[in-house]
Amino acid sequence: GRHFLYVRNGPGDLVAGSLDAASDTPPKSVMRIRQGVDYVPEPGSPVGRLLFVRDSTLFAQPFDPERLEFAGDAVPLAGNIGTSYASAHFSVSTNGRLVYRTADSNSVQLTWFDREGRAVAEVGEPVSPSFLWVSPDGRRVAYGSLVPPYGLMSMDLPRGTNSRLNDLSSDTGVVWSADGERVVFAGRDGMHLRVLNAAAGQQMLLPYAGQFMAVHDWSRDGRFILYSTID
């Protein structure tokens, strides 16, 4: 009842804190992780279990709540666990019963609709997007993947094929160039430009050390990007 765990989104790690710690005591990083965790005490034992998701697999690992560190090796419990942003879709009770939702429940089928609202055609395999941005020519859609492989993805709509643009989280979406060959997106470290058909990677346009940046529009002449920041 004196310690607590939380996930820091910026560095992406699990941190242990104490209600009795001095205000200037730095938090203790336990492990690198993207999604939330759950601690389960074990009756009659000073060591409980820490449950966490890594690469869509749910693990349980002995954890000492006094020393705030692991006390054994991790054991896989289930695979194909659903996740969304910083949440992992599982919960465990104090009697050891576990419930979870699979990653399949995250998936949606991209479908073209006409102007009267009638479904015209399905596109590609089901995906798990955090957002969707269609290119100006209607031939591509960029989306952030909520399941592995995480990052920014691009789908060729006529072919229904996917390609990975990068492994950066970009939950605030992207904007397309007028010719549909480039995208600009905001990562955790700033604004980036990516040329879709180039192997050179991405270019940093605007470094940003704040906590939030979002891109909103790209002028048709290619000269200006509209974006917002929150400090």
Side-chain angles (χ1 to χ4, degrees):
R2 307 303 299 172
H3 298 107
F4 56 92
L5 298 167
Y6 62 96
V7 174
R8 292 191 294 188
N9 285 334
D13 62 343
L14 176 67
V15 177
S18 172
L19 298 179
D20 303 316
S23 59
D24 58 350
T25 302
K28 180 177 181 178
S29 179
V30 177
M31 65 186 301
R32 296 282 295 177
I33 197 168
R34 291 174 59 97
Q35 279 85 24
V37 300
D38 204 350
Y39 174 76
V40 186
E42 187 170 326
S45 172
V47 175
R49 295 290 186 275
L50 197 66
L51 275 68
F52 59 91
V53 173
R54 177 173 289 159
D55 295 331
S56 297
T57 300
L58 177 63
F59 291 90
Q61 188 166 359
F63 186 79
D64 189 328
E66 294 297 328
R67 302 177 63 183
L68 300 177
E69 59 187 32
F70 290 112
D73 297 328
V75 177
L77 299 181
N80 196 32
I81 302 297
T83 58
S84 177
Y85 299 103
S87 300
H89 302 155
F90 74 92
S91 181
V92 62
S93 67
T94 53
N95 65 9
R97 288 190 178 273
L98 171 72
V99 294
Y100 63 90
R101 198 173 80 180
T102 66
D104 298 332
S105 59
N106 284 354
S107 299
V108 295
Q109 177 63 60
L110 298 188
T111 306
W112 282 117
F113 287 82
D114 64 17
R115 293 181 180 275
E116 283 69 46
R118 293 186 295 263
V120 177
E122 295 182 348
V123 182
E125 297 295 323
V127 295
S128 302
S130 58
F131 62 85
L132 293 170
W133 287 77
V134 181
S135 63
D137 60 8
R139 297 184 59 84
R140 293 190 180 101
V141 61
Y143 65 94
S145 178
L146 293 173
V147 299
Y150 298 106
L152 187 61
M153 307 290 291
S154 173
M155 179 184 287
D156 185 306
L157 294 176
R159 296 184 178 90
T161 56
N162 285 284
S163 59
R164 192 183 191 196
L165 299 181
N166 59 48
D167 60 356
L168 296 177
S169 173
S170 181
D171 300 332
T172 57
V174 304
V175 292
W176 288 89
S177 61
D179 60 7
E181 297 298 327
R182 296 168 295 164
V183 292
V184 165
F185 64 94
R188 296 194 182 280
D189 57 346
M191 185 188 302
H192 300 262
L193 168 69
R194 173 79 188 206
V195 181
L196 268 65
N197 295 321
Q202 62 225 11
Q203 172 189 352
M204 173 71 78
L205 295 182
L206 180 63
Y208 182 62
Q211 298 186 7
F212 183 84
M213 172 185 281
V215 291
H216 302 292
D217 208 352
W218 193 341
S219 64
R220 290 298 176 181
D221 61 8
R223 297 179 58 202
F224 299 99
I225 296 288
L226 182 68
Y227 71 98
S228 61
T229 60
I230 298 177
D231 294 321

